[in-house]
Amino acid sequence: MHTFLIIWLGQFASLLGSELTNFATTLWAWETTGRATPLSLIMLFTQIPKLLIAPFAGIWVDRYSRKYLMLLGDCVAGCSTLALLALFLSDHLQVWHLYITGAINGLFGYIQGLAYTASLTLIVPKQHYGRVTALGSVKASGTFILAPILAGALYANIGFPGILAIDITTFFVAIASLGIVHISQTPESSPSNELPPWQTLTFGFQYLWGRPSLMALLSFWVINNFVDSATFAILPAMVLARSGNDSLVWGTLFAFFGLGGLLGGLTLSIWGGPQRRIHSVLMASAFWKVGIIVLALAQQTVTKIGTALFSGFCSPFPISANQTIWMSKVEPEVQGRVFATRFFLTQLSSPIGYLISGPLADQFFEPAMQPGGILADLFGPIFGTGLGAGMALQVSIFATCGMLIAVGGYSIRQLRWVEIT
C-alpha cells in the first residue's frame, strides 16, 4: 500500500490542477459563447481520441513499462496546459483551441489512466481491491470539492492564466511521485503476449466474447454512459443559465457534489462495499439518477445543494464496485488489453451523447420551453420557463431513462449474477 499511496498523492495533485483548469475553461467558454454546444463539443473532442487509441493502448500497457507510460501522460498534459497559457497571454486563445487541447489531454490521459489501473493488481493485495478503488473515488471527489472553491476564488483574483500556471505546477508533483516508486510489470513471456499482431489487437474482444457475464456488465455501462454523457454535457450550462451566470452557484453545487463523493468514497474505503457488488452498481446508479432529476427540478438553492450532496455520495458506489468486479475476474497479465477493450466498447456511446446534447438543448428544448414555446404549457408548471428550463427538462428525461435502465438490470440473469458466473 505504501507505493500506491505515494502514486495516489501525486495523481491527486495532478487531478486537482486539471480540474481547476476544466472549471476555468468551462466558465471562459460559457462567458465567450453563451451556448451549451461548445461545452458539449469540448467533451466530445476529449472522448474521441480515447476510443481511437483504446485497442492499441491496451497492448502498450501490457508490454511496456507502465510507470513510463504514466510519466508520458503527465508530461503531455502539462505541455498542453502550457500551450493554452501561451495562447491566452498572446491574446490568441479561441474556443476551438480547447477542442484540440482536450483531444490531446484525452488521448494521453487515457493511456496514463489505463497504465495506472492495470498496475493496481500488482501494487496492492487482492483483499484491498475494494478499498483501493474507493480511494480512487476519494481522489476524484476531493478534487471536485477543492477545485470549484479554489477556482471560483482564484478566477477573480489571478484570472485564467494564474489557474493554468497552478495546473502546470501540479504536473511536476505528479511526475516526482512517480519517479521515486517502483512499479512491477507483468511477464512478457505470458502466452497471451506471444500472439500474432492481429490476434493481439483483437484479444480483448475475444476474451470478453467468451465471458457472457462480463459482456452483460459491459452492455449495461454502454447504455449508462450514453445517458451520463447526454446529461452531464449540459449540466454546467443548465446551472449557469438558471442562476444568471453565477459561477459561485455552479462552484458550490460542484463542491457539494464532490463532498458527497468524498463521503461516499471514505465510506467505501472503510467498509469495503457490500458482498454482492452488483447491488452497488445497479441501485446506486438508480439513486444517483434520482438525485439528478431532483436537481433539475429544484428551484431553491438549499434543495440543489442537498441533492448535489446526495448524488455525490452515491456516485462512487457503482464506479468502485464495477472496477472491483473487473479486477477480480480478469487476470493481471491481460488487464491492459481487456480493460482497454472494455473502455472502447463502453465509451462508444459517450460521443453520441456529447454530440447530440448541446445542439438538442440549443435547437429544440430551450426554444420549446421559452414563454409561448411548444412545450411551455405542458412542462412549464414543473420546470418553469425561460433560460435554462429546456435544459432542465432535457436532463430530467435522460436521467429518468437512466434510472429505469439501472432498476431493469436486475431482470437480466447474467448481469444479476455477474460475480458468480
Side-chain angles (χ1 to χ4, degrees):
M1 290 290 288
H2 177 71
T3 298
F4 166 76
L5 290 174
I6 292 175
I7 298 174
W8 184 89
L9 288 170
Q11 295 304 307
F12 176 82
S14 177
L15 185 60
L16 176 61
S18 297
E19 288 300 328
L20 284 171
T21 295
N22 291 340
F23 192 89
T25 53
T26 297
L27 290 176
W28 184 85
W30 177 257
E31 290 172 354
T32 302
T33 66
R35 297 175 64 85
T37 299
L39 274 63
S40 63
L41 285 178
I42 292 173
M43 297 182 181
L44 173 67
F45 279 96
T46 301
Q47 191 72 9
I48 288 179
K50 299 179 184 180
L51 295 175
L52 296 177
I53 204 66
F56 306 97
I59 299 173
W60 299 336
V61 166
D62 282 340
R63 287 190 172 179
Y64 303 122
S65 170
R66 292 171 180 176
K67 174 178 175 177
Y68 291 143
L69 290 174
M70 292 167 68
L71 284 168
L72 176 64
D74 282 328
C75 289
V76 172
C79 290
S80 69
T81 304
L82 187 62
L84 280 181
L85 179 59
L87 287 168
F88 185 88
L89 293 177
S90 62
D91 200 26
H92 286 91
L93 182 63
Q94 299 181 41
V95 172
W96 65 267
H97 290 134
L98 302 180
Y99 303 156
I100 296 176
T101 56
I104 295 172
N105 287 340
L107 174 62
F108 287 92
Y110 170 68
I111 295 173
Q112 192 263 7
L114 181 62
Y116 170 79
T117 302
S119 298
L120 292 179
T121 52
L122 303 173
I123 296 174
V124 298
K126 188 172 183 178
Q127 65 267 28
H128 294 310
Y129 285 177
R131 290 181 173 85
V132 165
T133 55
L135 283 172
S137 298
V138 170
K139 177 182 67 177
S141 300
T143 60
F144 287 167
I145 298 171
L146 295 174
I149 296 174
L150 292 174
L154 294 172
Y155 194 80
N157 294 303
I158 62 176
F160 192 37
I163 291 177
L164 293 178
I166 293 174
D167 188 10
I168 294 169
T169 303
T170 63
F171 287 118
F172 289 104
V173 177
I175 291 170
S177 69
L178 285 170
I180 62 175
V181 299
H182 172 73
I183 300 176
S184 301
Q185 187 74 9
T186 55
E188 294 188 9
S189 59
S190 171
S192 61
N193 284 333
E194 298 174 357
L195 296 171
W198 176 249
Q199 291 185 24
T200 299
L201 190 61
T202 59
F203 175 81
F205 295 94
Q206 296 170 3
Y207 184 97
L208 292 172
W209 188 255
R211 291 160 176 80
S213 60
L214 288 179
M215 284 296 294
L217 182 59
L218 184 147
S219 299
F220 166 77
W221 282 103
V222 170
I223 302 172
N224 186 76
N225 286 340
F226 168 75
V227 172
D228 283 349
S229 63
T231 301
F232 289 103
I234 62 168
L235 196 61
M238 182 197 79
V239 174
L240 288 169
R242 304 197 88 181
S243 64
N245 289 350
D246 190 342
S247 61
L248 181 60
V249 173
W250 170 237
T252 301
L253 290 179
F254 204 71
F256 272 91
F257 184 88
L259 177 60
L262 179 61
L263 294 175
L266 289 173
T267 301
L268 274 172
S269 64
I270 296 171
W271 171 32
Q275 188 174 2
R276 290 283 311 282
R277 310 277 183 186
I278 192 61
H279 294 314
S280 286
V281 173
L282 297 178
M283 291 309 300
S285 293
F287 287 138
W288 188 5
K289 301 302 189 298
V290 171
I292 297 301
I293 295 170
V294 176
L295 181 62
L297 289 168
Q299 300 293 331
Q300 301 296 322
T301 301
V302 64
T303 305
K304 294 179 182 179
I305 290 174
T307 304
L309 187 67
F310 170 78
S311 294
F313 182 84
C314 294
S315 63
F317 285 80
I319 298 171
S320 175
N322 177 65
Q323 184 61 22
T324 301
I325 292 172
W326 284 88
M327 289 171 64
S328 300
K329 294 182 73 72
V330 179
E331 299 84 354
E333 62 269 18
V334 299
Q335 284 185 2
R337 280 159 291 174
V338 174
F339 287 1
T341 303
R342 175 193 64 175
F343 175 85
F344 176 78
L345 294 174
T346 57
Q347 296 298 322
L348 274 175
S349 58
S350 295
I352 301 174
Y354 294 138
L355 184 63
I356 69 172
S357 187
L360 194 61
D362 289 332
Q363 303 301 323
F364 177 71
F365 278 102
E366 279 295 290
M369 289 297 288
Q370 297 302 308
I374 59 174
L375 298 179
D377 290 339
L378 180 61
F379 293 104
I382 302 174
F383 295 94
T385 58
L387 189 62
M391 286 185 280
L393 173 59
Q394 180 179 332
V395 165
S396 296
I397 291 173
F398 279 107
T400 301
C401 291
M403 177 194 66
L404 295 175
I405 290 166
V407 174
Y410 279 105
S411 65
I412 303 173
R413 182 182 178 278
Q414 289 173 330
L415 178 59
R416 188 171 66 249
W417 299 105
V418 63
E419 296 158 87
I420 301 173
T421 58

